[in-house]
Amino acid sequence: MPTLILVRHGRSTANTEGLLAGWTPGVALDERGAAQAAALPGRLADLPLSEIVTSPLQRCQETIRPLLDARPGLRAHTDERIGECHYGDWSGRKLAELKDEPLMEVVQAHPSAAAFPGGESMRAMQTRAAEAVREWNARVERDHGADAVYLMCSHGDIIKSLVAEALGLHLDLFQRISVEPCSVTAIRYTRLRPFLVRLGDTGDFAALAPREEPPGDEATVGGGAGAP
């Protein structure tokens, strides 16, 4: 079965403003995010990508644009199932404000029980994304062979949930996984089991350096802004 390259979108204006973007329209890459996207073709130059699949949201579309420009033979397939979690009434709100919501404790400690008001549950998010991957695995293998490599450009919580699913982790453990903006995660699927071969690789270790304000013990819903 194929190898899936999961790319989180580059840093967005919502990331730097501390907003939970969700499906809010008009959320673009910021200057740093655009630079991350521009570097992506070079980072992936050695990979013979057979297909590119993307979330319909603007920040993902902008992230893969340089890659598509560098590989004119490829076109992007849009799949809503790998779009961001539907955060409902939380969409567009400040993460600092949401921290005091009672639901946030559930999102952090028991996400399999979390359902966003006016939105979807985190279990539903994981299920739709995993179904999309299974269908694309079959399609890519059929059209390009079992050794094919293809790419999906998606969002932090989506990618974390797919990694958890590949590792056989309960969704309640997915907040232990971190993927920074424009990071590359790779999962090689086989008949018996998936293998996680890269996780959140940015090629930059700046995020590991001590910060003036430590990141704390809570996971950033939506994925966070990455290294300062």
Side-chain angles (χ1 to χ4, degrees):
M1 296 177 69
T3 295
L4 169 60
I5 307 300
L6 289 161
V7 175
R8 185 183 167 201
H9 61 79
R11 196 174 74 176
S12 72
T13 53
N15 293 145
T16 48
E17 293 170 8
L19 299 175
L20 185 62
W23 285 69
T24 304
V27 177
L29 299 183
D30 68 6
E31 185 175 352
R32 180 170 180 171
Q36 291 170 333
L40 196 59
R43 292 170 60 199
L44 301 178
D46 293 333
L47 291 180
L49 298 176
S50 59
E51 301 280 0
I52 293 179
V53 187
T54 181
S55 156
L57 296 174
Q58 179 178 340
R59 52 197 183 274
C60 287
Q61 302 276 339
E62 291 180 355
T63 297
I64 62 163
R65 191 168 298 148
L67 184 59
L68 292 171
D69 289 343
R71 303 196 187 199
L74 285 176
R75 67 181 183 90
H77 306 271
T78 299
D79 193 325
E80 291 196 358
R81 294 173 297 177
I82 63 167
E84 181 62 284
C85 185
H86 290 276
Y87 297 117
D89 298 344
W90 280 26
S91 299
R93 292 181 60 187
K94 287 274 190 182
L95 287 164
E97 298 172 0
L98 293 169
K99 188 165 64 173
D100 297 327
E101 293 278 355
L103 178 61
M104 183 59 85
E105 185 178 5
V106 182
V107 171
Q108 291 291 326
H110 190 20
S112 66
F116 296 98
E120 70 178 334
S121 69
M122 301 200 92
R123 283 185 300 166
M125 173 199 75
Q126 183 186 45
T127 297
R128 62 173 165 86
E131 287 177 350
V133 168
R134 283 190 286 272
E135 289 183 18
W136 277 101
N137 280 349
R139 177 173 172 175
V140 169
E141 181 172 6
R142 181 197 68 204
D143 294 345
H144 303 283
D147 294 328
V149 180
Y150 75 107
L151 181 146
M152 283 185 168
C153 185
S154 187
H155 306 266
D157 281 350
I158 294 287
I159 294 172
K160 288 163 56 178
S161 75
L162 290 171
V163 170
E165 199 262 352
L167 292 176
L169 294 178
H170 197 283
L171 183 61
D172 286 345
L173 300 178
F174 100 127
Q175 298 291 25
R176 301 183 183 198
I177 299 166
S178 176
V179 289
E180 290 202 358
C182 224
S183 62
V184 173
T185 294
I187 302 172
R188 180 166 59 85
Y189 289 87
T190 73
R191 185 175 61 86
L192 295 180
R193 64 182 63 85
F195 292 89
L196 179 66
V197 292
R198 291 288 188 280
L199 176 61
D201 188 344
T202 63
D204 179 359
F205 295 106
L208 303 180
R211 304 185 189 182
E212 291 184 8
E213 294 185 14
D217 58 3
E218 289 195 348
T220 304
V221 181

